[in-house]
Amino acid sequence: QDLARSEMMRLICREADKSFFHFRGNYIGHLKEDETVEYYRKPPSDTLHALDSTPDGLTPEQAAARLARDGRNVLTEPPKPSLVKRFFQQLVDPMILVLLAAALISAITSAYAHESFADVIIILIVVIINAVLGVYQESKAEKAIEALQQMSAATSKVLRDGKMVTIHSEDLVVGDVVILEAGDAIPADGRILTSASMKIEEAALTGESVPVSKFIDIINLAPDTKDVPLGDRKNMVYMGSTVVYGRGTAVITATGMDTEMGKIADALSNAEQGQTPLQIKLSQLSKILTWLVLGICVIIFAVQLLRAGGFSFEVILNSFMIAVSLAVAAIPEGLAAVVTVVLSIGVTNMSRRNAIIRRLTAVETLGCAQIICSDKTGTLTQNRMTVTDTWTDDPILLAKAMALCSDAKRGLGM
């Protein structure tokens, strides 16, 4: 009777859960649960049923249909601006706008006085060099970030019709059953179906450097709580983590931007970039210079008219040209170039220490930091040990011995 009662309650709960299902354009089969569904509160059998999957995985036809419907298992990025747009974005800086205004005024005065355009050419060269260096640094930082993204799992072992096959991780779909072993990177979020002493390192998501032991039991909510923290969902696996011990299987519950890692990527792409302290100071300097230049123009123009004692067209024009020439001389044309060169040197020195900086102005902000507070080791590092020095008469023999007594694999940086 107890077994019959528990089975009946399980069926009732399953039907109750279905009442929360809703129709969507990218549904799986006939029904698909909302993104907020708590798979860690469901037993493996109910999870497979909700995802329209089986312990033997999907059929190739099901996988192909879901891949076409849901898209690939990749983290999408916002469209990148073209090089031309990036170049002009560098010219929006207030200091650069002041320099461009100075170049325009200098060109007008030089054309009227039939003088050389040396000042104009110098200012434009400074502006172009500043913009080119900014675009180059951003492009180099993005290439480095793209290289880091390539470190994710390239292939995964999945069950298709009960047979293990190796596929590209980007071809994973919701409902796929993946086989996980020590050293494997988790390709997507999933609910654990089987676990044989499996431990997973989730430092990239939780900051916890100690591997987490995984199990298959359901997790119930504590009283007066609506959710279980990500680090405590020990019957789930998440993209960005790595199996460090044991083995197991899991059914994929979310791919691509629907994963926890995808939510982080989406939040980062939609985050608004604030101004750095250096940009704020340069903006303030630009405003001061603008009002100073305007004041110089007005005062010198008025003084020249009073000294000339007349208001003829030639006197007014000469007074205006003198005022403009002094105003252009008051603008520090080399400031933008000096700032850009100094920041570029800082970025170069940081890159030699494997620090990736996307924006030049961020270097000054980082240089002002006196204390950096971080959570745990795995938050800012790869959370894995690396051999840097050895003391032995035969390093090749030592390397063979270390490789044979562990599951370690040769890293990309060696």
Side-chain angles (χ1 to χ4, degrees):
Q1 291 179 352
D2 292 338
L3 290 175
R5 188 181 298 110
S6 62
E7 181 66 17
M8 183 179 297
M9 290 300 298
R10 187 176 67 84
L11 292 174
I12 293 174
C13 291
R14 178 185 300 176
E15 294 301 321
D17 286 337
K18 286 183 180 180
S19 64
F20 291 94
F21 290 7
H22 66 280
F23 182 84
R24 295 172 57 187
N26 60 344
Y27 63 92
I28 297 176
H30 297 289
L31 296 171
K32 181 179 178 179
E33 291 179 307
D34 186 62
E35 282 85 351
T36 58
V37 65
E38 299 167 343
Y39 289 108
Y40 55 85
R41 298 182 62 190
K42 293 177 177 293
S45 58
D46 286 3
T47 302
L48 289 170
H49 178 78
L51 298 173
D52 194 18
S53 183
T54 66
D56 292 332
L58 304 173
T59 64
E61 293 76 16
Q62 286 178 313
R66 297 186 185 189
L67 182 63
R69 191 162 50 231
D70 301 333
R72 295 189 176 277
N73 177 38
V74 293
L75 299 182
T76 57
E77 297 180 0
K80 296 180 181 179
S82 62
L83 288 177
V84 176
K85 187 176 181 179
R86 289 185 186 182
F87 179 82
F88 284 106
Q89 285 177 344
Q90 299 292 328
L91 304 181
V92 182
D93 187 88
M95 180 62 66
I96 300 299
L97 294 177
V98 172
L99 290 180
L100 291 176
L104 178 62
I105 297 173
S106 180
I108 295 173
T109 56
S110 299
Y112 172 77
H114 301 288
E115 297 176 352
S116 66
F117 291 88
D119 292 341
V120 181
I121 296 174
I122 291 174
I123 294 175
L124 291 179
I125 290 176
V126 169
V127 170
I128 292 174
I129 291 176
N130 178 80
V132 169
L133 286 176
V135 172
Y136 170 74
Q137 174 57 33
E138 288 186 3
S139 301
K140 187 169 66 172
E142 288 180 356
K143 289 181 180 179
I145 294 174
E146 289 175 358
L148 289 177
Q149 293 176 345
Q150 298 299 324
M151 294 174 62
S152 59
T155 59
S156 301
K157 298 183 289 293
V158 302
L159 292 176
R160 293 282 168 86
D161 277 340
K163 298 179 181 179
M164 188 186 73
V165 295
T166 302
I167 63 173
H168 292 287
S169 296
E170 62 181 21
D171 293 334
L172 280 175
V173 296
V174 173
D176 264 328
V177 176
V178 295
I179 300 173
L180 303 173
E181 297 177 345
D184 289 346
I186 307 298
D189 294 0
R191 171 66 162 93
I192 297 176
L193 301 179
T194 62
S195 175
S197 304
M198 188 165 59
K199 295 182 180 181
I200 296 181
E201 180 264 307
E202 299 176 339
L205 286 173
T206 64
E208 180 60 58
S209 59
V210 179
V212 180
S213 298
K214 296 293 183 176
F215 51 70
I216 63 174
D217 299 332
I218 63 173
I219 300 176
N220 295 316
L221 295 178
D224 300 328
T225 59
K226 296 181 179 180
D227 196 6
V228 174
L230 187 68
D232 294 334
R233 301 175 189 175
K234 297 185 178 181
N235 57 5
M236 300 287 293
V237 294
Y238 294 100
M239 176 188 289
S241 52
T242 306
V243 181
V244 296
Y245 186 81
R247 64 184 184 274
T249 59
V251 58
I252 300 300
T253 58
T255 60
M257 297 302 290
D258 293 332
T259 63
E260 295 297 328
M261 190 66 73
K263 295 175 183 177
I264 296 175
D266 182 63
L268 290 175
S269 62
N270 294 328
E272 296 182 359
Q273 292 185 349
Q275 284 190 323
T276 64
L278 178 62
Q279 288 176 316
I280 295 174
K281 293 293 184 182
L282 289 178
S283 298
Q284 294 174 350
L285 178 61
S286 301
K287 293 179 180 178
I288 294 174
L289 287 176
T290 300
W291 289 109
L292 181 63
V293 166
L294 291 175
I296 291 174
C297 288
V298 172
I299 294 173
I300 297 300
F301 181 70
V303 170
Q304 287 296 321
L305 289 180
L306 292 176
R307 291 181 59 186
F311 295 95
S312 62
F313 175 75
E314 185 176 354
V315 172
I316 294 176
L317 188 58
N318 287 333
S319 300
F320 178 75
M321 289 302 175
I322 292 174
V324 170
S325 299
L326 290 175
V328 172
I331 296 175
E333 291 88 352
L335 178 60
V338 171
V339 170
T340 302
V341 170
V342 171
L343 293 179
S344 298
I345 294 174
V347 169
T348 302
N349 292 335
M350 294 289 287
S351 63
R352 292 173 181 171
R353 301 194 176 191
N354 299 324
I356 301 172
I357 298 177
R358 177 173 292 184
R359 293 192 298 164
L360 286 174
T361 51
V363 181
E364 186 268 346
T365 307
L366 183 60
C368 294
Q370 296 177 336
I371 299 175
I372 299 177
C373 300
S374 61
D375 185 8
K376 296 181 177 67
T377 306
T379 308
L380 300 177
T381 65
Q382 293 182 340
N383 194 28
R384 63 184 187 187
M385 301 179 68
T386 304
V387 177
T388 57
D389 295 299
T390 59
W391 290 269
T392 178
D393 295 333
D394 193 344
I396 297 178
L397 182 60
L398 177 62
K400 290 181 178 179
M402 294 174 64
L404 291 174
C405 69
S406 71
D407 295 331
K409 296 181 181 179
R410 182 166 182 155
L412 297 177
M414 296 180 62

